[in-house]
Amino acid sequence: MSIQLFLLVGVALFSIGVYGVLARRNIVGILMSVELMFNAAGINFVAFNRYLHPDGVWGQGFVLFIIALAAAEAVVGLALVLTFYRGSKTVLVEKMNLLQG
Amino acid sequence: MVQSIIFSFLAVLVLFPAVLVVTSKNVFHSALWLILSLAGVAGMYALLAADFLFAVQLLVYIGGVTIVLLFVILLSGKPSDWAGRQVNEKAWAAGLFSLFLLAALGSFVSEWPLVPVTSAPKLTSGPLGELLFREMVLPTELISFVLVAALVGAIYFSVKKRGPS
């Protein structure tokens, strides 16, 4: 069990999340892909914490902050999605061009 | 040896549902696969001796965020959204870019020097509490403020406006 394996899992999860953010049309799908990227960062933080600084917990503390901010982001983002859907009856991002003029 | 088997199982549990999250046509199915992937990440935390984060991941992500996601999908979608294409016209470019990202970052981290774990795993709840309320007390208070602001903002956005305004 080496640190590279954990980092590779993190890299793969992050790449999957990047693909989802770039390619999906559904705004809820994009939010889910952002959650995947947050979790990739969390795996990396905890792996570095465990292997490079095994006596401290600073990396895990940062992951707690990531989780809290991800929860806040998800709540606000989904409230915005609901509000937008009520007005325009769509969740597809290419229809979200109110500010285009 | 046992650890390697557990790690391979967890890696599959993280990555295979994650691929299905971004490729499945039905967004509801995506959210269900996301639950499985996040459970795999929680297992990774447990394997890395982060017991408190394991519990927090289960409680906050699987018990909170994905449930809110499922509610919003049920409230905001219509079945015709699931019939059409789920990716935009540039999906091939996005796939190429993420493959490039995977190759570049993967080759970077696979050259990381080997560092063995020296200490045995120990409980992290106590040290994490001391960290949060001693060294990181100001960020902790700030994050509680951010959470309250997110709560109020979410209520403000999602409550239906009544009357002339």
Side-chain angles (χ1 to χ4, degrees):
Chain A
M1 290 303 303
S2 61
I3 186 173
Q4 286 99 339
L5 292 173
F6 288 101
L7 296 184
L8 279 175
V9 169
V11 164
L13 195 58
F14 186 83
S15 306
I16 294 168
V18 166
Y19 171 77
V21 168
L22 290 178
R24 292 224 52 154
R25 294 171 76 206
N26 193 319
I27 182 77
V28 185
I30 291 177
L31 282 173
M32 283 191 273
S33 309
V34 172
E35 300 294 332
L36 288 182
M37 289 157 75
F38 282 142
N39 277 279
I43 288 179
N44 272 15
F45 263 119
V46 180
F48 280 126
N49 190 173
R50 178 83 181 116
Y51 281 88
L52 300 187
H53 193 61
D55 295 324
V57 287
W58 277 83
Q60 299 184 22
F62 274 104
V63 176
L64 277 180
F65 281 97
I66 290 178
I67 291 176
L69 281 179
E73 170 262 337
V75 167
V76 175
L78 293 169
L80 284 173
V81 170
L82 270 188
T83 311
F84 187 84
Y85 180 77
R86 212 176 275 142
S88 65
K89 299 293 169 204
T90 184
V91 287
L92 302 179
V93 283
E94 70 257 23
K95 303 275 172 55
M96 297 185 177
N97 49 10
L98 280 175
L99 293 180
Q100 207 172 34
Chain B
M1 186 59 207
V2 177
Q3 268 203 333
S4 308
I5 295 171
I6 294 174
F7 175 81
S8 339
F9 173 72
L10 284 176
V12 173
L13 186 62
V14 170
L15 294 178
F16 177 68
V19 170
L20 284 170
V21 166
V22 295
T23 55
S24 118
K25 279 181 87 76
N26 189 332
V27 188
F28 199 84
H29 293 171
S30 287
L32 295 179
W33 284 117
L34 181 70
I35 293 179
L36 214 54
S37 183
L38 296 179
V41 175
M44 286 275 175
Y45 290 162
L47 193 60
L48 285 164
D51 53 341
F52 185 70
L53 278 184
F54 169 75
V56 168
Q57 173 89 3
L58 286 184
L59 284 174
V60 176
Y61 262 117
I62 299 176
V65 172
T66 52
I67 303 301
V68 177
L69 269 170
L70 289 176
F71 265 111
V72 170
I73 290 168
L74 289 177
L75 286 173
S76 74
K78 45 187 188 300
S80 65
D81 289 338
W82 301 339
R85 232 158 24 90
Q86 285 301 312
V87 293
N88 54 27
E89 301 85 27
K90 304 276 172 42
W92 58 272
L96 275 184
F97 178 72
S98 60
L99 277 181
F100 168 75
L101 200 66
L102 181 65
L105 290 177
S107 68
F108 177 69
V109 301
S110 56
E111 287 165 11
W112 201 272
L114 225 61
V115 274
V117 180
T118 48
S119 71
K122 49 184 181 293
L123 293 180
T124 59
S125 312
L128 263 177
E130 285 197 12
L131 177 77
L132 285 183
F133 288 102
R134 194 162 288 158
E135 285 99 340
M136 294 174 95
V137 63
L138 184 62
T140 307
E141 296 299 324
L142 277 179
I143 203 103
S144 59
F145 181 71
V146 168
L147 284 175
V148 173
L151 194 67
V152 175
I155 292 172
Y156 173 77
F157 278 128
S158 54
V159 168
K160 233 176 228 157
K161 308 275 191 305
R162 293 241 166 82
S165 62

